[in-house]
Amino acid sequence: MRGWWQELAGLVLPVDCAGCGAVRVLVCAECRDALSGAGEGAVRPSPRPAGLPVVRAAAVYEGAVRSLLLAHKERGALPLAGVLGAALAVAVVGGGRGGAAGPGGAGEVVLVPVPSARRQVRARGHDPARRIALAAAGRLRRAGVRARVAPVLGLRRAVADQAGLGARQRRENLAGALAVRRGARGLLPGGTRIVLVDDLVTTGATLAEAARAVRAAGLVTGPGEALRAAVVAAPADSFRRIERVPRV
């Protein structure tokens, strides 16, 4: 009920831009541009956790992008899922011919969101990564990409709040915490391309654990690089650690 009320209220009541405070607009043109994907690229946390797949991000986690993500995740600004999902879709197809997906690519693209703990979902009234993933899949389908969301990952034990933890502490906190749900194999038939998705990457510990769980379940049988990940945003220094290849 809380989630439905938040979404309805966001649609019918006057709002200010969650990115910069511009009046009576959900997302102003300038903040929308920050999420356009113009700065999309590969990112790599340092140190890079073992098992982390190739990760692409649509925007730098700062300024308006940070404000928009926090408004959606922590303050229940659910209509923001549309613009955030559009940014995530750019990251999913990022890298051109070498990216995870494309209108001309073979097979289906399956977005696997990183799950939130049940207590967080209850507190927030929604699952942010899953909501953004659903919006991204819709955007991809409209662009001609066969895409869907498969929420096959779940927490198999309690984990501590990640806020305030360093990179090593996050890896230890999450080690072995995720697992593929029973019966998930039927949701991911052969020929699908799995892309792990989340709203944000910082240390990479969460995506590395998600990748471990997917590989352990035998859902990815090729080399490790066959698995991809995409996020809405990442810290600026994560982008600078990757050598950019000019697009042609």
Side-chain angles (χ1 to χ4, degrees):
M1 288 295 294
R2 178 184 173 189
W4 281 105
W5 169 247
Q6 287 172 322
E7 192 154 15
L8 180 61
L11 291 172
V12 302
L13 297 178
V15 295
D16 296 339
C17 175
C20 67
V23 298
R24 299 187 66 84
V25 60
L26 179 65
V27 183
C28 72
E30 185 174 350
C31 291
R32 193 176 293 271
D33 284 346
L35 284 168
S36 67
E40 185 277 334
V43 296
R44 180 187 298 167
S46 181
R48 179 180 181 177
L52 183 70
V54 172
V55 184
R56 301 194 72 90
V60 174
Y61 185 62
E62 63 184 14
V65 172
R66 180 179 182 275
S67 296
L68 290 164
L69 278 169
L70 289 176
H72 176 261
K73 187 173 190 173
E74 304 295 349
R75 298 197 297 278
L78 303 187
L80 292 176
V83 67
L84 296 173
L88 180 61
V90 173
V92 170
V93 299
R97 295 182 181 86
E108 183 180 40
V109 177
V110 178
L111 308 185
V112 174
V114 172
S116 297
R118 290 183 180 179
R119 65 179 184 277
Q120 292 176 325
V121 174
R122 288 194 298 269
R124 292 167 176 160
H126 72 124
D127 186 332
R130 183 172 180 176
R131 183 175 288 273
I132 294 173
L134 289 168
R139 177 61 66 100
L140 289 168
R141 288 192 295 270
R142 290 192 292 274
V145 179
R146 292 175 55 206
R148 62 184 172 89
V149 175
V152 300
L153 288 174
L155 283 163
R156 63 181 182 182
R157 64 169 176 81
V159 296
D161 190 337
Q162 296 276 80
L165 299 182
R168 187 176 70 177
Q169 292 171 315
R170 290 190 177 204
R171 292 194 299 271
E172 293 172 350
N173 183 42
L174 290 167
L178 295 178
V180 171
R181 293 189 175 100
R182 185 178 303 174
R185 189 178 297 275
L187 299 175
L188 300 169
T192 59
R193 290 172 289 169
I194 298 174
V195 183
L196 302 172
V197 296
D198 206 352
D199 57 352
L200 174 68
V201 62
T202 52
T203 67
T206 304
L207 286 173
E209 170 59 17
R212 182 208 59 77
V214 167
R215 291 171 180 142
L219 299 181
V220 176
T221 56
E225 291 299 305
L227 186 61
R228 297 287 187 269
V231 296
V232 175
D237 58 358
S238 296
F239 287 90
R240 289 196 293 268
R241 292 190 181 104
I242 298 293
E243 181 180 353
R244 297 297 184 93
V245 178
R247 295 184 180 182
V248 296

